[in-house]
Amino acid sequence: LSRLWQWVIMERIDKMLTPLFTVIVPTFDHGDLIQFSLRSILRQTLQDFEIFVIGDGITAEGRECVNAFAQKDSRIHLFEFPKDSRHGEIYRHEVLTGSAHGQLVCYVGDDDLLLPDHLQCMAECLHEHDFAHPLAIFINTENQLGVAEGHLGLDASRRRLLAAEPFNFISL
């Protein structure tokens, strides 16, 4: 084969081996609650992803839970770090820049659930746009739906982010 065709073939193989998404799931002290988050990711209609669990001082219970999932699915990887003084942001950056293979990144909290078509919807949106931010909703103990504080689609959240006082919460 000519060098050009060798290059074309290698590029095609690389794209086939590269997942579309790297899904990062930071965790600290929610123990085996992370199993619900992982299940919601694994049940996506679009299955072209790798999952990176970022253990920011992860508990033994959380570690056991993630390792049990990783033994069943090779797309799941646990990265363990000592507890950071903040929320492990530095670890997320380190793992994403050093280990991620996905073309797109999706952030899921260890106590969050994704609807089954979340990654498919995000892929379609990100095909046309550089950034996407889904509406984060919650169900409280009275079974009422609400919109999570910090959503960028809400004017009050945008004003709060632009205000001078520190604000360290954005639902992703």
Side-chain angles (χ1 to χ4, degrees), residues 17-168:
L17 297 175
T18 301
L20 181 59
F21 278 98
T22 296
V23 180
I24 59 167
V25 186
T27 189
F28 167 51
D29 65 352
H30 286 142
D32 69 351
L33 182 65
I34 195 171
Q35 68 180 302
F36 300 105
S37 185
L38 292 174
R39 282 191 186 120
S40 76
I41 298 166
L42 292 171
R43 292 180 177 154
Q44 292 295 298
T45 55
L46 190 152
Q47 287 286 304
D48 191 9
F49 57 79
E50 61 187 357
I51 301 172
F52 288 178
V53 177
I54 314 299
D56 179 23
I58 189 171
T59 64
E61 185 180 28
R63 180 182 311 105
E64 289 172 19
C65 182
V66 173
N67 285 335
F69 273 87
Q71 287 176 350
K72 296 175 187 171
D73 194 317
S74 63
R75 298 175 295 175
I76 301 174
H77 308 277
L78 173 62
F79 297 85
E80 289 193 62
F81 298 96
K83 179 65 186 117
D84 187 54
S85 61
R86 294 185 36 89
H87 303 289
E89 293 91 348
I90 188 130
Y91 302 141
R92 294 176 216 162
H93 178 75
E94 179 181 325
V95 169
L96 283 173
T97 56
S99 301
H101 298 100
Q103 298 170 33
L104 304 169
V105 175
C106 181
Y107 178 96
V108 180
D110 64 353
D111 59 352
D112 293 344
L113 301 175
L114 298 180
L115 294 173
D117 62 347
H118 181 79
L119 291 181
Q120 180 67 43
C121 291
M122 293 303 286
E124 291 170 8
C125 185
L126 291 168
H127 180 71
E128 296 181 24
H129 307 283
D130 293 333
F131 179 80
H133 187 281
L135 180 65
I137 60 171
F138 63 88
I139 302 173
N140 66 18
T141 56
E142 287 81 37
N143 292 325
Q144 298 169 325
L145 288 175
V147 177
E149 180 185 352
H151 188 275
L152 295 176
L154 302 175
D155 188 51
S157 296
R158 291 191 305 271
R159 280 196 312 269
R160 188 168 179 192
L161 281 172
L162 296 172
E165 75 259 9
F167 177 57
N168 191 26

